[in-house]
Amino acid sequence: MNKSTFASLALVIFITACAPPAAWRKDGVSQDATKTVLSECKYQVGINKIPAEKQQDLIVSCMQGKGFRWR
């Protein structure tokens, strides 16, 4: 591996390591409040006995309906 390839690879690793992990986010909402809303969505899906293969889609729809975005 030549020096420029190594430097490019090191730069990519550095940039991606500094990026915050993807999570549900909404401007002005704390991480704790976000966890509460996510728990509510999961609870609603769970009590309605939704088949496992559809649960994640409904949780995503619930969170997006409340103004959250995955970023």
Side-chain angles (χ1 to χ4, degrees):
M1 185 179 322
N2 64 33
K3 287 184 180 183
S4 64
T5 303
F6 179 76
S8 296
L9 181 59
L11 180 62
V12 168
I13 291 171
F14 176 75
I15 290 171
T16 57
C18 294
W24 288 110
R25 301 187 195 284
K26 182 177 177 181
D27 291 341
V29 179
S30 71
Q31 189 176 23
D32 287 339
T34 301
K35 287 180 184 179
T36 300
V37 174
L38 179 58
S39 294
E40 291 171 3
C41 288
K42 288 180 178 181
Y43 175 77
Q44 290 299 319
V45 169
I47 64 170
N48 286 300
K49 300 179 182 173
I50 305 298
E53 62 273 3
K54 294 182 180 182
Q55 289 181 0
Q56 189 59 35
D57 286 341
L58 290 174
I59 292 168
V60 168
S61 294
C62 178
M63 291 297 286
Q64 288 178 343
K66 293 177 184 283
F68 289 84
R69 298 295 178 261
W70 185 257
R71 43 186 165 156

